């Protein structure tokens, strides 16, 4: 019953919306409460005034209102006063419409007159902030900037503006656009482009200058535009009505979603063929018009004439005399000087609504002249901001400026990664996929995101005043994924670790192939170096560095597989050892005991012979290289010159297990099963641990512990500071690989299994068993774990089986 009643309410709301949308609109009738004073001060000859549908002869001191029209015959003219200090003369054979004369409660005046034909002389009052005074013709709009000027327009001839004093802003006018709402224009790219071109056709005319428009061309363009726009405007209104109906229908569905907790399918409204055809036709038709040909800062249709004709200056002087005469005869009110009680209200936010004693008086800035001692309640509101309220009382003659301070409302943006997600705030549907709301500050806000096939997301948040917060939702699929993501055969055993770099996965096969895949396992390129490779590549700034078993040293572009350069070394890199790069220098040690430093451009910087083979990677730290050699020594060398600074003797050689450094301690495992912690400054032993068999595993240091595997089948976790065993994992197979971590879990391979472990206690989080032996350590990129198998396959497994969309 509850669901039914909600649907019925929304249905009638929908019907109401459609019916309301079909009614004609008009200007707010309340505006007449603030109509400005206007009257016909003087007339001579045949002057007619139209009120409603009736024309009557003009009378001296006749009151004029919005909508009145004035026509003057041959050798006739009249003077009109608007407000306290604005005057115009309507010259002979002219037709003028009083379109708008408004004066709101703050004293701001907005006056607009339309000169259909003829000539008018304009002497407006000095405009204050917020005031406007405009004269329209069929092809132009002249906006006053505190000036005296003449407007003349003759159909099929010229529209001309002559400025005697001050400045006038002159713009091209297309009447067809005057009658179209901004919402309709915004819906059409063709109409939007037309309006932008019209708005751009604007110049400012200085004193003693004129400008004109060729009315014949401009009127012809206006007729064309009117013909092609009229039908399209009606089509757009139909489209908007359909969209509003669709929105209401969607809201009805969302109520059902809230009740059933199921998201509806997204049905997008497409633009009609009629709309699209009209858009194309209008765009083509408009392209040929002069008004669309504006380039850079040049105007196309408005032309400047440097000097004005003497007769225009004389006509302005004539009006000045008439104004003085009218004031002397007290036909118009004389402007009074003296102390004025005035309140100016300024808001720093555009489109702020200002209210005084609950009455709207304007936007952004308002000027009041209240009675001294009167109590004024000032309220200012703006979209996205909290309201401002203050009580003000002014003394006689006091001039106060009230600079309003508006605090931005708390703003919450919710973003879902899944298309067609329904978003609710405090159980109320607020939109789909991405929404921004402005809830109250300091209160608990409940968020829900619902999408079909995913678990419902819930969260709570509290915002401070003015705080903006963005929540990127993570949605989890209801069905768990398989552990194995994919596997691909590269044609030969993969003996060294796959390397993830950006969206690339670099794999080296034992036959000398270097293969680049994407993270979904698709091959991007393959380079065959035609030599066996046992070294692990390292990638730096888009280049992969790899050494073949014959000592050839390659730099390969990771994006293309092209060889950037090749160099020859004395010896190879074996047992998975790899180059080490520090800034723009590459360090590596070969199986023949030669330690090299190369630039990343392939130039040899220096080399040093240790005369004993090296079977693991070097380590770099704080200007020193550390190298484990076959003669059981670990050498500390100067990284700039290659000279030996100290050496430490272990009880065995180091094979595959490379030195790792944390702070001032070097950790390394030996073939004998011994594991050492050595001081890097002096080369002294800190502690030693004995495992049950050879150590080929390069240690990992994390969270105050050091982890490594042994051929005795165990993964060990020791305290880094003292070598105490914290825990061990018995795998049942040799652990030759090196542990790796994503910061949360520890990953190790052994036999044909991969393990994910709790780093603190060694607890198994999950395991995955392959059909063949795993030959590499685990490479990690996000949720993907990559390993190489002795079958020649590279496999990707998922750490988390929850498909989380971010």
């Amino acid at each position: 019953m509850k669901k039914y009643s909600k649907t019925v309410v929304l249905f009638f709301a929908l019907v109401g919306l459609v019916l309301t949308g079909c009614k004609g609109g008009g200007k707010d009738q309340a505006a007449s409460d603030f109509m400005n004073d206007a009257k016909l001060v003087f007339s001579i000859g045949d002057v007619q005034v139209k009120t409603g549908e009736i024309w009557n002869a003009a009378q001296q001191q006749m009151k004029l209102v919005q909508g009145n029209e004035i026509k003057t015959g041959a050798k006739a003219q009249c003077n009109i006063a608007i407000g306290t200090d604005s005057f115009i003369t309507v010259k002979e054979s002219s037709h003028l419409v009083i379109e708008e004369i408004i004066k709101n409660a703050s004293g701001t005046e907005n006056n607009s007159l339309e000169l259909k034909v003829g000539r008018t002389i304009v002497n407006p009052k000095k405009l204050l902030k917020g005031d406007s005074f405009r004269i329209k013709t069929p092809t132009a709009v002249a906006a006053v900037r505190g000036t005296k000027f003449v407007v003349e327009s003759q159909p099929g001839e010229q529209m001309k503006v002559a400025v005697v004093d001050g400045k006038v802003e002159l713009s091209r006018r297309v009447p067809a656009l005057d009658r179209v709402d901004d919402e309709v224009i915004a819906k059409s790219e063709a109409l939007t482009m037309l309006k932008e071109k019209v708005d751009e056709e604007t110049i400012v005319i200085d004193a003693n200058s004129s400008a004109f428009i060729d009315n014949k061309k401009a009127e012809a363009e206006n007729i064309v535009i009117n013909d092609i726009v009229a039908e399209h405007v009606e089509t757009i209104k139909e489209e908007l009505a359909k969209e509003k109906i669709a929105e209401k229908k969607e809201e009805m569905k969302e109520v059902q979603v809230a009740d059933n907790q199921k998201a509806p399918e997204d049905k997008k409204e497409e633009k009609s063929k009629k709309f699209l055809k009209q858009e194309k036709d209008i765009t083509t038709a408009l392209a040929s018009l002069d008004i669309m040909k504006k380039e850079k800062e040049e105007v196309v249709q408005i032309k400047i004439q440097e000097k004005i004709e003497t007769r225009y200056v004389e006509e302005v002087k004539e009006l000045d005399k008439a104004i003085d005469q009218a004031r002397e005869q007290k036909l118009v009110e004389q402007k009074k000087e003296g102390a004025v009680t005035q309140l100016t209200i300024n808001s720093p936010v555009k489109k702020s609504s200002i209210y005084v004693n609950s009455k709207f008086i304007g936007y952004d800035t308002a000027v009041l002249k209240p009675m001294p001692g009167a109590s004024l309640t000032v309220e200012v509101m703006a979209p996205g901001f909290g309201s401002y309220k203050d009580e003000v009382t002014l003394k006689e003659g006091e001039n106060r400026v009230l600079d309003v301070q508006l605090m931005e409302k708390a703003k919450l943006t919710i973003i879902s990664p899944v298309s067609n997600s329904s978003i609710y705030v405090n159980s109320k549907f607020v939109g789909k996929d991405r929404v921004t709301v402005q809830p109250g500050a300091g209160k608990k806000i409940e968020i829900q995101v619902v999408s079909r096939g995913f678990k419902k997301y819930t969260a709570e948040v509290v915002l401070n005043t003015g705080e903006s917060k963005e929540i990127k939702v993570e949605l989890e699929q209801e069905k768990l994924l398989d552990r194995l993501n994919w596997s691909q055969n590269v044609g030969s055993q993969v003996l060294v670790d796959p390397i993830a770099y950006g969206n690339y996965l670099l794999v080296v096969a034992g036959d000398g192939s270097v293969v680049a895949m994407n993270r979904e396992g698709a091959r991007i390129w393959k380079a065959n170096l035609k030599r066996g490779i046992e070294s692990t590549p390292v990638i730096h700034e888009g280049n992969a560095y790899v050494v073949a078993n014959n000592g050839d040293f390659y730099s390969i572009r990771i994006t293309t597989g092209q060889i950037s350069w090749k160099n020859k070394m004395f010896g190879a890199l074996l047992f998975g050892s790899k180059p080490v790069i520090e800034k723009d220098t590459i360090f590596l040690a070969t199986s023949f005991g030669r330690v090299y430093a190369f630039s990343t451009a392939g130039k040899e910087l220096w080399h040093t012979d240790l005369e004993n083979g090296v079977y693991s990677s070097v380590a770099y730290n704080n200007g020193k290289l550390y190298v484990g050699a076959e003669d059981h020594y670990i050498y500390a060398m100067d990284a700039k010159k290659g000279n030996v600074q100290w050496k430490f003797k272990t009880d065995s050689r180091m094979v595959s297990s490379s030195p790792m450094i944390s702070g001032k301690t070097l950790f390394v495992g030996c073939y004998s099963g011994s594991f050492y912690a050595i001081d890097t400054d002096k080369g002294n032993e800190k502690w030693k641990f004995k495992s049950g068999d050879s150590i080929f595993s390069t240690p990992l240091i994390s969270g105050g512990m050091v982890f490594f595997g042994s051929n005795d089948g165990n993964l060990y976790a020791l305290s880094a500071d003292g070598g105490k065993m914290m825990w061990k994992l018995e795998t049942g197979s040799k652990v030759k690989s090196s542990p790796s971590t994503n910061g949360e879990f520890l990953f190790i391979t052994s036999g044909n299994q991969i393990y994910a472990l709790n780093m603190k206690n060694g607890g198994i989080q999950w395991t995955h068993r392959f059909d063949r032996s795993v030959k590499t350590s685990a490479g990690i990129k996000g949720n993907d774990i990559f390993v190489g198998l002795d079958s020649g396959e590279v496999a990707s497994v998922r750490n988390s089986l929850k498909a989380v969309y971010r």
Side-chain angles (χ1 to χ4, degrees), residues 745-804:
F745 296 153
L746 188 73
F747 301 95
I748 193 71
T749 61
S750 175
N752 60 354
Q753 290 196 92
I754 180 171
Y755 297 83
L757 307 173
N758 182 301
M759 298 181 71
K760 291 183 178 180
N761 56 29
I764 297 175
Q765 306 303 302
W766 57 262
T767 64
H768 181 74
R769 183 181 295 274
F770 296 94
D771 294 334
R772 303 295 295 269
S773 294
V774 183
K775 290 296 184 181
T776 71
S777 304
I780 304 170
K781 189 70 175 181
N783 192 50
D784 302 321
I785 313 295
F786 305 103
V787 293
L789 310 178
D790 67 359
S791 59
E793 288 180 294
V794 176
S796 169
V797 296
R798 298 180 174 94
N799 177 31
S800 171
L801 302 184
K802 299 174 182 178
V804 178

Side-chain angles (χ1 to χ4, degrees), residues 692-712:
D693 206 338
S694 300
I695 299 174
F696 290 91
S697 174
T698 296
L700 169 73
I701 304 102
S702 179
M705 291 194 286
V706 56
F707 307 90
F708 63 91
S710 171
N711 282 1
D712 64 7

Side-chain angles (χ1 to χ4, degrees), residues 349-364:
V349 180
K350 289 185 177 181
K351 296 185 179 179
S352 299
S353 299
I354 301 174
Y355 296 82
V356 174
N357 294 340
S358 300
K359 186 175 182 179
F360 174 75
I361 61 168
Y363 293 101
D364 302 349

Side-chain angles (χ1 to χ4, degrees), residues 52 125 171 436 454 458 512 646 689 700:
K125 73 164 193 171
S171 305
T436 298
F454 293 83
T458 61
W646 58 255
F689 177 85
L700 169 73

Side-chain angles (χ1 to χ4, degrees), residues 198-456:
V198 173
D199 291 342
E200 289 172 357
E201 189 78 2
T202 300
I203 65 169
V204 175
I205 312 168
D206 293 320
N208 201 35
S209 297
S210 299
F212 63 89
I213 292 175
D214 186 332
N215 269 348
K216 186 175 181 179
K217 289 183 179 179
E219 287 167 354
E221 280 195 351
N222 285 351
I223 291 171
V224 172
I225 292 170
N226 186 69
D227 290 343
I228 62 178
V229 164
E231 183 181 353
H232 195 43
V233 167
E234 294 307 313
T235 301
I236 295 172
K237 289 179 180 178
E238 292 172 7
E239 295 282 329
L240 290 170
K242 288 178 184 177
E243 288 181 7
K244 289 178 180 178
I245 291 173
E247 288 173 5
K248 282 298 179 181
K249 286 181 178 178
E250 192 64 30
E251 288 183 14
M252 291 170 67
K253 290 181 181 179
E254 296 304 339
V255 171
Q256 295 173 348
V257 171
D259 291 337
N260 302 330
Q261 293 300 318
K262 291 182 180 179
E265 294 183 2
D266 190 16
K267 294 183 179 179
K268 296 182 179 178
E269 293 288 338
E270 296 184 356
K271 293 184 173 68
S272 67
K273 291 181 180 178
K274 179 181 177 183
F275 174 90
L276 296 174
K277 184 178 184 303
Q278 288 178 352
E279 277 282 289
K280 184 177 179 181
D281 292 345
I282 290 174
T283 302
T284 302
L286 290 176
S288 64
L289 302 180
D290 284 346
I291 202 166
M292 303 302 291
K293 297 177 182 177
K294 172 179 166 60
E295 294 182 2
K296 298 182 179 178
E297 299 302 319
E298 298 178 356
V299 290
V300 177
Q301 297 185 318
I302 304 175
K303 308 300 180 184
I304 289 288
Q305 180 176 309
E306 288 301 326
K307 291 187 178 181
I308 64 174
E309 298 175 37
T310 305
R311 65 188 179 98
Y312 292 136
V313 177
E314 294 303 321
E315 286 179 335
V316 168
K317 290 180 179 178
E318 183 184 328
L319 177 57
D320 286 342
K321 291 178 182 178
I323 294 170
D324 291 340
Q325 186 177 2
R327 284 174 174 161
E328 287 175 6
Q329 296 175 2
K330 298 186 178 179
L331 298 178
V332 294
E333 183 181 351
Q334 186 77 25
K335 189 173 182 181
K336 298 177 181 179
E337 301 292 341
V340 177
T341 304
Q342 181 171 294
L343 173 64
T344 302
I345 305 167
N346 292 324
S347 171
V349 180
K350 289 185 177 181
K351 296 185 179 179
S352 299
S353 299
I354 301 174
Y355 296 82
V356 174
N357 294 340
S358 300
K359 186 175 182 179
F360 174 75
I361 61 168
Y363 293 101
D364 302 349
T365 296
V367 179
L368 295 175
K369 295 176 181 177
M371 292 292 292
S375 179
L376 306 176
T377 301
V378 178
E379 292 181 271
V380 181
M381 289 176 281
F385 292 81
S387 62
Y388 169 93
K389 192 170 184 178
D390 196 6
E391 299 291 335
V392 179
T393 302
L394 271 63
K395 298 177 182 178
E396 185 172 358
E398 182 181 358
N399 192 330
R400 186 185 304 183
V401 177
L402 185 62
D403 289 319
V404 172
Q405 299 295 320
L406 291 177
M407 179 67 74
E408 191 171 4
K409 286 184 179 178
K411 184 187 296 183
L412 175 64
T413 300
I414 306 163
I415 305 170
S416 171
V418 178
S419 179
N420 202 34
S421 301
S422 297
I423 301 174
Y424 299 84
V425 173
N426 294 334
S427 301
K428 182 181 178 181
F429 174 76
V430 292
K432 286 182 173 291
D433 301 350
R434 180 188 180 112
V435 297
T436 298
V437 294
Q438 291 182 310
K443 298 178 181 179
K444 183 172 69 175
I445 305 161
E446 296 179 351
I447 301 166
Q448 289 185 337
V449 181
V450 180
S451 187
R452 185 171 294 171
F454 293 83
K455 293 182 180 179
K456 182 169 66 176

Side-chain angles (χ1 to χ4, degrees), residues 31 78 95-96 127 155 314 336 338 392 420 430 464 466 490 553 576 607 628 632 644 664 718 730 780 801:
C78 65
H95 182 182
L96 182 83
L127 299 186
E314 294 303 321
K336 298 177 181 179
V392 179
N420 202 34
V430 292
N464 298 319
V490 295
F553 184 19
H607 72 259
H632 303 186
V644 176
K664 293 188 176 183
L718 311 181
E730 297 179 3
I780 304 170
L801 302 184

Side-chain angles (χ1 to χ4, degrees), residues 34-46:
F34 308 104
M35 191 175 293
N36 208 350
D37 294 327
K39 60 183 175 181
L40 195 148
V41 179
F42 166 80
S43 68
I44 185 170
D46 182 18

